[in-house]
Amino acid sequence: MSDWKDRLGVVFSTNPDFSYRSNAEDEPDTLPRCEQKLRVSIEKQGRGGKVVTIVRGFIGQADDLKVLGKMLKTRCGVGGSVKDGEVIVQGNLRDKVIALLKSDGYSNTK
């Protein structure tokens, strides 16, 4: 392993056959856009009374989800974030987000 941060806390071994193991799970491959089953919803609870639009159900790598989040935030002209496998867009923009996703090739959007 080339990343030394994964090996922090491991004691040196003199065994020539020893290999470091990491607990990191492999991310699934990103499904094609037409096969993604995205769910768009609106939430208000736990956000100080502010309404946000949430996109859930993305299957793929974290980098691809960040790209999707950036595209949605840019085209809607609002802020937001990408965390815990969800794209959070500020405001009640459910219809606009669904239209943007469909125009970008995500056909299974509800």
Side-chain angles (χ1 to χ4, degrees):
M1 297 193 103
S2 61
D3 191 7
W4 61 271
K5 292 179 184 178
D6 291 335
R7 295 184 278 154
L8 288 177
V10 176
V11 179
F12 178 76
S13 175
T14 58
N15 183 356
D17 296 327
F18 180 79
S19 64
Y20 294 102
R21 295 184 195 137
S22 68
N23 294 337
E25 297 179 15
D26 292 335
E27 292 180 338
D29 291 335
T30 303
L31 290 177
R33 292 178 180 178
C34 60
E35 294 179 17
Q36 294 280 353
K37 294 182 180 178
L38 301 179
R39 302 289 179 246
V40 181
S41 62
I42 296 173
E43 274 189 18
K44 188 175 180 179
Q45 282 187 326
R47 303 185 187 277
K50 305 288 183 185
V51 177
V52 294
T53 304
I54 298 181
V55 179
R56 292 186 175 106
F58 185 84
I59 299 174
Q61 298 189 355
D63 292 339
D64 295 331
L65 182 62
K66 288 180 184 178
V67 169
L68 174 64
K70 183 167 176 79
M71 182 271 298
L72 289 174
K73 292 184 299 182
T74 303
R75 290 191 185 171
C76 289
V78 296
S81 66
V82 176
K83 57 182 169 183
D84 299 330
E86 300 176 340
V87 177
I88 301 170
V89 179
Q90 294 175 349
N92 186 354
L93 300 170
R94 183 176 185 271
D95 296 333
K96 188 172 184 177
V97 168
I98 290 174
L100 287 171
L101 289 172
K102 286 186 178 183
S103 70
D104 204 39
Y106 293 94
S107 59
N108 294 329
T109 304
K110 292 184 181 178

